[in-house]
Amino acid sequence: MLFRAPAPFLEGGSGAEIGGRVDQVGAGTVRPTARETTGCLQVKGTIVRGMIFDIMKFAIHDGEGIRTTVFFKGCPLECWWCHNPESRSSQPQRIYRAGRCIHCGACIEACPEDALARENGRIVADLSRCDLRGRCAHACPTEATAIVGKEMTVAEVMEAIRRDRIFYDQSGGGVTFSGGEPGMQLDFLCALLDACAAEGIHTAVDTCGHLPWEAMEQVVRRTNLLLFDLKVMDAELHARFAGVGNEQILRNLELLAQMRAVEGMPYDILIRVPVVPGVNDDDANFERLATFLSRLPGERLPVDLLPYQKFGRSKYEALGMPHRLAGTEPPPDEQMQRFAAILRSHCLPVTVRGVHDES
Amino acid sequence: MSRSARVEKLRAQSLEAKPWISTERAELLTTFHKKHRQALPAPIQRALAFKYILGHKTIRINEGELIVGERGEAPKATPTYPEICCHSVEDLEVLNSRPKTSFATSEEARRVYAADIIPFWQGKTIREMIFRDMTQGWKDAYEAGVFTEFMEQRAPGHTVLDDKIYRKGFLDFEQDIDESLAGLDELNDRDAWSKRQELEAMRICIHALIRYAERHAEKIRQLAQETDDDVRRGELLEAADICDWVPAHAPRTFHEALQYYWFVHVGVITELNTWDSFNPGRLDQHLLPFYRKGLADGTLTEEKARELLQCFWVKFNNQPAPPKVGVTAAESGTYTDFALINTGGVTPDGRDGVNELTYIILDVIEEMRLLQPSSCLQVSKKNPDQFLRRAGKIIKTGFGQPSIFNCDVIAQELVRQGKRIEDARCGGSSGCVEVGAFGKENYCLTGYMNLPKIFEISLNRGVDARTGRRIGIDCGDPTDCTSFGELIDAFRRQLRHFVDIKIRGNNVIERLYAMYMPTPFLSLLIDDCIARGKDYHDGGARYDSSYIQGVGLGSLTDIFAAIKHHVFDAGVVPLSELLAALRDDFEGREPLRQRLWNKSPKYGNDDDYADDLMRSIFEVYFEAIDGRPNTRGGNYHINLLPTTVHIYFGSVTGATADGRRAGQPLSDGVSPVQGADRLGPTAVLKSVGKMDHVRTGGTLLNQKLAPELLETEEGLTNFVHLVRSYFLMDGHHIQFNVVTAETLRAAQREPEKHRDLIVRVAGYSDYFCDLSEALQQEIITRTEHKAF
């Protein structure tokens, strides 16, 4: 999920759907030893569980109306501009926000593995010793230390989704599954999509597109709206800035368009393109994008251009991850409009941050 | 944005004028009483005093204005009401010099007070009678900040006019009086004589106001003679004709209707310093027939109607709230006098009440951008979304107006209280968020109740920890409680104790006003005072409600949730340890404070754990108050609104278990604790929606929105959906501040550059730079919801 204001990790107090119960986070999770890159299906007995890192209410830029966005943890891409760096790993992670820390040492005392220590006015962690059971987070009075990522059942997520039902009904909104890449937890995602369909809740899935076609097909047959991210058209640049090439992504989009053209319109697609200075902010990229999209079969797909925003830096710090676009400024509005014009010249319906502007 | 040159000038005059104390009314009243020393029935005496004041006060016509009548000698000249509260010379000095809501007080004014006013009124005022007749228990609770008392410096008001003046002139009211007199049963009705006095007093008031209008006509004709400007002369002569016609007769034109209302308004706020000055209620519906008729017969244009409304707006802004001192100033620290223009809603027969004039009035609200009058939308499910969208565009400009009410729920609230459905549909809110049947009800707010303080006293076994004095009852040692329910039960008993004290005091105060301070002019205007021959203060109104306003619901909910969670459910913090930390204001216990603040369930996050506790508190409060009788033949009900008292109440309340430090503000209205709502506006609305608003007489919800949320059409659509969803949950009221915390901080740093920054405070808007520093800080901390 790209280009949003900084989502609170776990800033929910105990009132948060996820955040407040940090004491239970990670408890009982079977921790795979290696990072999985595809099809992260977590099945325990008959209960399907998924790894979620946030559930955000009043999301209004992820589809129609007032929505709830459910953020799945784990992504096959590693985009430099990602605002949700906590979404990459499919496992729970310990975060530390130095600005909130009052140095009371409760976390150090609580850690049974002696993984924590004081150093230069900060709490430092030896993550190799961390078992991610979150006793430090539970002990922390200020939420400076927290565990991001919680294993949830379909029923638990549905309970959170249902809470804002009155707003969906009033506004024509619903739920958006985002991430990370929700398709990486395919069974969990499909179970949630089915549960929403059964209750008449409108669904959207925000995908990076980098999934096996079989997975993509399962998702698209269950959702009302697909938010499909297209980042960089050049395969090499894509590999450089997102960690993987874009061949599978483009192929999936071709197949989706074909399927949509052949079967009528069982679902909507919105193409979402981040405009990131130094990465894809050149006319050539948008010319290629326009050509690609205008050659797809069927009705022209609408495109939403999203300017890079300087959010998320504090998250990189909290996770102890380097932010490779730390100095980058958002693209100027004129540039956004120029790229929009290029796409429009190919008869593609375009919005910038959801706003139609023909000027 | 269009304001004519005339309006521009009048508006600037109003904005530039500084409030100052005018002693004219006090002097006239004193002269009257010195002249008429014979014993008279109270209503007659009050009516004659009213007539004397209106007959002698300065007639002020502002340059270029189309609607005439000022309460004082000039815009912002503010009279005093020594019969209610006689300011001391020191009071006048404080008013003159205090940094916020000051009133310029001249040396001459102080001299007049020292020489004439104080010597005459000292010992005779309502304020002194009240404090004389209150019990020690009442005084202890009042001084501790357990509750406040509305009527110690201002008279009961809290009423709004209906449509009667648009149908009837004052001479028609006189006929009603004659009919009522003719129906008196002097043989069998032991109150017949009292009724006759009251009705004759009303008759005196009728002619007092007609004469007051005539004096305006005379003055205007004089000005017309003096002017060289032919256009202005024409305007003046027209205005004089209007003053000849209204209020004596029913209005015939849009202009006459507005002028009529304004004379009535000045009458009400001259007779007494009523809480909630007074207001015309559903102005869009009342004026619509005059507007349509004027357009049809060519005597009015849309442009002219706008200008008249704009002139009308200026008149409200020229009248600051009468000066308040002491606790009353702390609970209501504002120049705003709570005239609230209602728009929209439904018609008496239940149809969509939004009309073309509604939108013109909304334009005027935006164009004028004045603190007074305040404005609100009554939103019914029958009203179009366009109505809300238009309001959203005004709210977006960031001056806190208009606030938004749920018309359908207000009708339910009023019907639950026993009103006829057609009276309920014509009702709405006055002042802040309190509701009543317009033109037919005395709905009297009597004081705020400090809920967290009462729980604090309960935890301290009846002792006020701040002073060490025993002012409550001993409900036992809280550390002996084995369940959280026992703590709630102790709170219930403690609350009942203080509510009983408050109501016993109210019963006395109501009688003092009924006996010594009848209000025959206001009684003319509110049904069924004429028919019953009874004063507004003595059960004359068709409906008579008394309110005690609960404050700190969000704070107390979070206090309960923290104790229940950490002490009883998780069992990790012993209550004795927690109480010790509270006594020490968390000194040396910062980790505990942080844990309580960050890791307790909090109201405002759609968390049933906290929200269920909120509902229990609501029930305890409701049971302690609702349905108890007042002395006017009506009942008590609850509402939940704060004005600015949550700052004062916080200042007298020690550290609390939700992690709040001693002295910090409490939560306002039914809003969550400032900064405790962390999951966005839908979660707040869900939490607040779990309350049974229908059983209140008003609740107040503050929301702060980031400006970007309302920037786009899509944003406005979502705004409409948010409000509609809250109202589907039977929410009573919601209001928005659309301004960033950065802007507010900048205004704190450089007030001179932000003099025009207006924010929503409680049931009203105010200039940010006029607010106390504590209140400024509190508004900054209210959670700002951003679009994600």
Side-chain angles (χ1 to χ4, degrees):
Chain A
M1 183 50 229
L2 308 171
F3 301 98
R4 53 178 59 251
F9 284 84
L10 294 173
E11 293 174 324
S14 283
E17 296 297 344
I18 303 173
R21 320 294 191 210
V22 282
D23 39 335
Q24 288 136 34
V25 164
T29 306
V30 179
R31 202 153 52 92
T33 49
R35 184 179 161 200
E36 290 169 287
T37 52
T38 51
C40 175
L41 313 181
Q42 301 189 5
V43 184
K44 285 185 180 176
T46 55
I47 300 175
V48 184
R49 292 166 194 267
M51 182 59 68
I52 300 299
F53 73 88
D54 199 3
I55 296 180
M56 185 185 293
K57 296 161 182 288
F58 195 54
I60 52 177
H61 292 311
D62 294 330
E64 285 297 302
I66 296 172
R67 311 186 74 81
T68 294
T69 300
V70 179
F71 291 93
F72 284 53
K73 206 161 173 345
C75 187
L77 269 51
E78 280 192 27
C79 303
W80 287 28
W81 56 88
C82 183
H83 292 143
N84 293 326
E86 74 275 35
S87 71
R88 287 186 194 163
S89 163
S90 56
Q91 297 308 314
Q93 285 168 287
R94 175 184 172 278
I95 56 164
Y96 174 65
R97 287 167 290 197
R100 288 178 169 228
C101 184
I102 57 169
H103 313 290
C104 64
C107 53
I108 299 175
E109 277 172 42
C111 180
E113 311 291 341
D114 288 329
L116 299 170
R118 250 185 259 263
E119 204 173 275
N120 298 329
R122 285 175 63 98
I123 306 292
V124 292
D126 176 359
L127 288 179
S128 68
R129 302 171 108 178
C130 178
D131 66 0
L132 285 173
R133 292 176 72 176
R135 276 165 291 205
C136 55
H138 179 62
C140 178
T142 65
E143 295 180 333
T145 297
I147 300 291
V148 59
K150 180 185 178 183
E151 204 184 58
M152 296 181 79
T153 63
V154 171
E156 284 167 345
V157 176
M158 287 307 295
E159 148 70 11
I161 290 171
R162 266 184 225 116
R163 290 211 157 247
D164 273 5
R165 172 105 210 201
I166 194 163
F167 298 98
Y168 316 148
D169 289 350
Q170 172 64 36
S171 70
V175 63
T176 300
F177 298 104
S178 181
E181 171 51 56
M184 277 181 75
Q185 302 182 50
L186 188 61
D187 285 2
F188 188 57
L189 176 63
C190 289
L192 283 168
L193 289 169
D194 289 344
C196 288
E199 297 188 21
I201 296 172
H202 181 273
T203 53
V205 174
D206 182 13
T207 180
C208 71
H210 190 73
L211 289 174
W213 168 249
E214 299 69 30
M216 185 59 84
E217 192 184 1
Q218 284 199 57
V219 172
V220 85
R221 290 206 180 279
R222 287 177 163 88
T223 190
N224 301 112
L225 170 67
L226 197 65
L227 303 168
F228 196 104
D229 294 352
L230 268 188
K231 287 143 178 144
V232 188
M233 293 309 290
D234 181 85
E236 274 177 37
L237 283 177
H238 197 282
R240 180 172 165 216
F241 287 114
V244 297
N246 61 5
E247 295 81 359
Q248 188 171 26
I249 297 170
L250 297 179
R251 179 71 194 138
N252 276 342
L253 189 54
E254 283 169 346
L255 289 171
L256 284 169
Q258 210 167 17
M259 180 176 144
R260 192 160 166 272
V262 171
E263 298 183 10
M265 287 181 62
Y267 55 91
D268 291 325
I269 299 182
L270 175 64
I271 306 294
R272 304 215 290 188
V273 184
V275 178
V276 188
V279 174
N280 67 354
D281 64 335
D282 52 295
D283 290 0
N285 181 55
F286 284 89
E287 287 289 354
R288 276 181 78 173
L289 175 69
T291 308
F292 176 80
L293 290 176
S294 55
R295 283 182 186 160
L296 291 177
E299 208 178 306
R300 300 275 155 110
L301 297 176
V303 182
D304 191 24
L305 299 183
L306 301 164
Y308 170 79
Q309 303 284 350
K310 292 170 68 177
F311 299 138
R313 187 179 308 178
S314 60
K315 293 184 174 188
Y316 281 91
E317 279 170 24
L319 285 157
M321 289 166 69
H323 187 14
R324 287 174 287 191
L325 286 183
T328 302
E329 293 295 316
D333 196 49
E334 310 83 70
Q335 204 183 23
M336 296 299 295
Q337 294 304 333
R338 196 174 75 240
F339 296 147
I342 292 174
L343 297 175
R344 282 193 193 109
S345 71
H346 290 257
C347 302
L348 292 159
V350 183
T351 51
V352 175
R353 259 187 92 76
V355 178
H356 295 271
D357 187 354
E358 300 300 325
S359 63
Chain B
M1 181 93 31
S2 75
R3 297 189 290 255
S4 67
R6 173 206 316 279
V7 171
E8 203 57 61
K9 224 166 119 187
L10 290 167
R11 181 176 180 273
Q13 181 185 40
S14 185
L15 288 173
E16 282 157 22
K18 293 256 180 298
W20 56 279
I21 294 291
S22 155
T23 56
E24 186 181 56
R25 182 185 181 281
E27 290 181 75
L28 288 171
L29 183 74
T30 308
T31 308
F32 168 81
H33 279 278
K34 282 179 176 170
K35 273 188 181 171
H36 298 84
R37 288 190 176 274
Q38 74 272 36
L40 289 169
I44 299 286
Q45 188 185 43
R46 289 293 305 165
L48 290 172
F50 177 71
K51 183 179 166 194
Y52 186 82
I53 293 169
L54 287 188
H56 293 84
K57 74 195 283 292
T58 304
I59 301 295
R60 164 80 178 216
I61 311 294
N62 296 309
E63 183 59 40
E65 70 182 356
L66 298 174
I67 308 287
V68 298
E70 289 286 342
R71 182 182 51 181
E73 299 99 303
K76 305 271 178 87
T78 312
T80 54
Y81 302 76
E83 68 269 47
I84 304 288
C85 161
C86 182
H87 297 105
S88 65
V89 173
E90 298 78 66
D91 285 340
L92 296 178
E93 278 160 8
V94 168
L95 287 171
N96 188 50
S97 62
R98 67 187 179 195
K100 307 288 178 177
T101 50
S102 61
F103 288 83
T105 312
S106 67
E107 233 166 81
E108 172 63 9
R110 274 174 262 180
R111 193 197 61 71
V112 166
Y113 252 75
D116 298 327
I117 313 297
I118 295 170
F120 184 83
W121 289 103
Q122 209 163 38
K124 302 192 189 83
T125 68
I126 284 282
R127 189 182 200 202
E128 287 158 295
M129 286 191 241
I130 287 175
F131 284 107
R132 181 194 67 200
D133 288 353
M134 291 300 106
T135 61
Q136 192 57 44
W138 187 97
K139 287 176 191 166
D140 288 345
Y142 178 78
E143 281 159 18
V146 171
F147 53 68
T148 65
E149 174 47 56
F150 261 41
M151 258 56 76
E152 58 104 22
Q153 286 177 42
R154 297 191 66 174
H158 299 110
T159 196
V160 173
L161 196 55
D162 57 7
D163 65 341
K164 62 172 68 71
I165 66 165
Y166 310 100
R167 292 181 280 108
K168 286 179 166 185
F170 264 40
L171 295 176
D172 300 313
F173 292 150
E174 192 174 18
Q175 280 191 6
D176 295 342
I177 288 173
D178 285 334
E179 276 174 34
S180 188
L181 282 167
L184 283 181
D185 181 356
E186 317 245 355
L187 270 181
N188 299 302
D189 180 355
R190 64 180 190 150
D191 292 330
W193 180 84
S194 305
K195 289 177 182 173
R196 179 173 294 280
Q197 304 312 315
E198 177 70 28
L199 289 163
E200 290 299 345
M202 292 186 202
R203 189 199 304 276
I204 293 167
C205 291
I206 285 175
H207 291 285
L209 195 76
I210 293 173
R211 175 65 198 135
Y212 178 61
E214 284 169 3
R215 291 183 65 213
H216 280 82
E218 289 159 13
K219 172 87 178 179
I220 293 168
R221 290 207 170 89
Q222 185 193 327
L223 291 173
Q225 272 186 355
E226 291 164 6
T227 184
D228 298 328
D229 180 344
D230 290 343
V231 176
R232 180 64 181 155
R233 187 179 310 113
E235 281 173 9
L236 286 168
L237 292 175
E238 189 190 351
D241 289 345
I242 289 171
C243 295
D244 284 341
W245 185 260
V246 291
H249 309 284
R252 298 161 301 187
T253 67
F254 193 79
H255 193 160
E256 284 178 357
L258 284 171
Q259 181 63 61
Y260 186 1
Y261 174 78
W262 189 249
F263 279 136
V264 166
H265 187 95
V266 173
V268 170
I269 64 177
T270 300
E271 184 183 37
L272 277 174
N273 60 353
T274 50
W275 272 110
D276 286 9
S277 59
F278 198 52
N279 91 58
R282 295 160 171 266
L283 200 56
D284 49 354
Q285 290 188 35
H286 298 329
L287 294 178
L288 185 66
F290 301 103
Y291 178 71
R292 285 186 178 161
K293 178 167 165 274
L295 290 191
D297 65 19
T299 55
L300 185 70
T301 61
E302 186 187 317
E303 195 184 354
K304 186 74 190 165
R306 280 175 193 275
E307 188 178 40
L308 284 165
L309 283 167
Q310 291 173 338
C311 289
F312 186 65
W313 247 242
V314 170
K315 298 310 288 188
F316 284 92
N317 202 59
N318 284 351
Q319 328 296 329
K324 292 159 269 189
V325 293
V327 170
T328 298
E331 74 180 351
S332 180
T334 175
Y335 290 126
T336 300
D337 209 12
F338 299 99
L340 179 66
I341 307 284
N342 285 238
T343 54
V346 294
T347 61
D349 56 353
R351 288 171 295 119
D352 175 11
V354 171
N355 60 53
E356 62 268 32
L357 203 50
T358 311
Y359 291 102
I360 291 177
I361 287 175
L362 289 173
D363 290 345
V364 169
I365 291 165
E366 183 171 14
E367 288 157 4
M368 294 307 281
R369 204 177 168 84
L370 291 171
L371 291 193
Q372 300 199 81
S374 198
S375 56
C376 72
L377 262 63
Q378 282 212 43
V379 177
S380 163
K381 56 183 183 279
K382 296 176 186 173
N383 298 146
D385 281 350
Q386 189 197 358
F387 178 43
L388 260 171
R389 287 185 85 84
R390 178 70 191 92
K393 285 182 182 168
I394 304 173
I395 290 166
K396 182 172 85 171
T397 66
F399 88 117
Q401 287 194 36
S403 58
I404 306 174
F405 288 86
N406 187 344
C407 170
D408 306 318
V409 160
I410 288 177
Q412 283 189 65
E413 290 166 12
L414 295 176
V415 167
R416 189 200 72 88
Q417 294 174 356
K419 282 149 202 161
R420 302 175 199 158
I421 182 66
E422 57 275 22
D423 290 348
R425 284 179 182 143
C426 295
S429 66
S430 69
C432 211
V433 297
E434 60 279 7
V435 296
F438 290 171
K440 297 160 190 76
E441 181 167 12
N442 173 348
Y443 44 118
C444 186
L445 272 58
T446 68
Y448 298 108
M449 190 62 72
N450 187 345
L451 301 177
K453 181 79 188 174
I454 291 169
F455 184 60
E456 177 188 275
I457 292 166
S458 175
L459 287 176
N460 287 301
R461 307 187 65 168
V463 173
D464 178 7
R466 204 165 60 100
T467 59
R469 296 186 60 186
R470 172 169 301 282
I471 61 171
I473 51 172
D474 183 356
C475 301
D477 186 345
T479 58
D480 291 342
C481 290
T482 53
S483 73
F484 185 71
E486 290 173 47
L487 278 186
I488 296 191
D489 198 51
F491 169 71
R492 183 199 318 276
R493 284 187 286 153
Q494 199 69 251
L495 174 70
R496 182 77 188 199
H497 167 74
F498 285 116
V499 167
D500 284 355
I501 291 177
K502 176 71 179 156
I503 290 182
R504 233 178 288 150
N506 286 351
N507 288 345
V508 172
I509 294 166
E510 281 179 14
R511 288 297 87 203
L512 288 176
Y513 272 96
M515 297 291 294
Y516 293 98
M517 211 50 65
T519 177
F521 181 72
L522 180 58
S523 303
L524 274 173
L525 303 165
I526 304 299
D527 299 338
D528 300 312
C529 295
I530 295 178
R532 293 181 184 173
K534 282 269 204 187
D535 193 81
Y536 177 84
H537 286 171
D538 195 20
R542 182 175 302 168
Y543 308 112
D544 248 302
S545 308
S546 294
Y547 285 100
I548 302 173
Q549 309 96 256
V551 173
L553 179 77
S555 291
L556 188 57
T557 299
D558 288 0
I559 291 166
F560 275 17
I563 295 177
K564 185 171 190 294
H565 177 67
H566 293 287
V567 176
F568 290 95
D569 292 352
V572 290
V573 182
L575 188 57
S576 54
E577 188 188 323
L578 178 61
L579 294 177
L582 296 182
R583 269 196 294 277
D584 299 342
D585 195 14
F586 296 111
E587 190 63 43
R589 309 298 302 273
E590 184 61 10
L592 174 63
R593 193 188 75 80
Q594 289 281 355
R595 174 165 292 276
L596 293 168
W597 172 248
N598 291 306
K599 296 213 160 168
S600 306
K602 302 273 179 188
Y603 169 61
N605 295 291
D606 194 13
D607 178 345
D608 290 336
Y609 189 99
D611 299 345
D612 285 350
L613 290 169
M614 176 276 289
R615 296 196 305 141
S616 327
I617 298 166
F618 178 91
E619 291 303 330
V620 168
Y621 193 61
F622 180 84
E623 281 164 23
I625 293 171
D626 187 77
R628 299 178 70 172
N630 60 26
T631 73
R632 310 189 309 273
N635 295 100
Y636 277 86
H637 303 295
I638 63 166
N639 51 25
L640 297 148
L641 64 102
T643 317
T644 60
V645 82
H646 55 297
I647 306 286
Y648 163 66
F649 276 175
S651 75
V652 298
T653 305
T656 43
D658 59 338
R660 172 191 149 281
R661 287 207 174 87
Q664 294 297 304
L666 303 175
S667 63
D668 69 78
V670 294
S671 314
V673 168
Q674 301 80 353
D677 49 327
R678 298 163 188 178
L679 295 182
T682 60
V684 173
L685 300 181
K686 280 289 303 293
S687 278
V688 184
K690 291 173 197 172
M691 173 186 304
D692 190 357
H693 297 258
V694 173
R695 285 188 290 151
T696 74
T699 62
L700 181 144
L701 176 61
N702 266 312
Q703 285 278 275
K704 194 159 79 178
L705 293 178
E708 60 261 33
L709 184 57
L710 291 176
E711 249 162 36
T712 60
E713 287 299 313
E714 187 202 20
L716 272 174
T717 304
N718 283 321
F719 162 82
V720 171
H721 292 320
L722 270 184
V723 174
R724 291 276 196 200
S725 302
Y726 182 52
F727 286 179
L728 277 175
M729 293 182 258
D730 284 352
H732 174 88
H733 156 276
I734 186 167
Q735 63 189 20
F736 298 92
N737 264 319
V738 182
V739 61
T740 64
E742 293 83 74
T743 305
L744 298 176
R745 285 199 196 94
Q748 276 188 316
R749 281 194 302 274
E750 299 181 288
E752 65 285 356
K753 286 188 187 161
H754 295 86
R755 287 280 306 278
D756 59 340
L757 178 63
I758 302 177
V759 293
R760 194 79 190 171
V761 181
Y764 67 102
S765 291
D766 215 334
Y767 287 107
F768 184 73
C769 297
D770 282 349
L771 304 177
S772 72
E773 209 176 301
L775 192 55
Q776 289 182 347
Q777 211 48 49
E778 193 266 326
I779 288 173
I780 291 174
T781 349
R782 285 179 195 166
T783 307
E784 178 181 292
H785 291 304
K786 279 196 178 173
F788 285 98

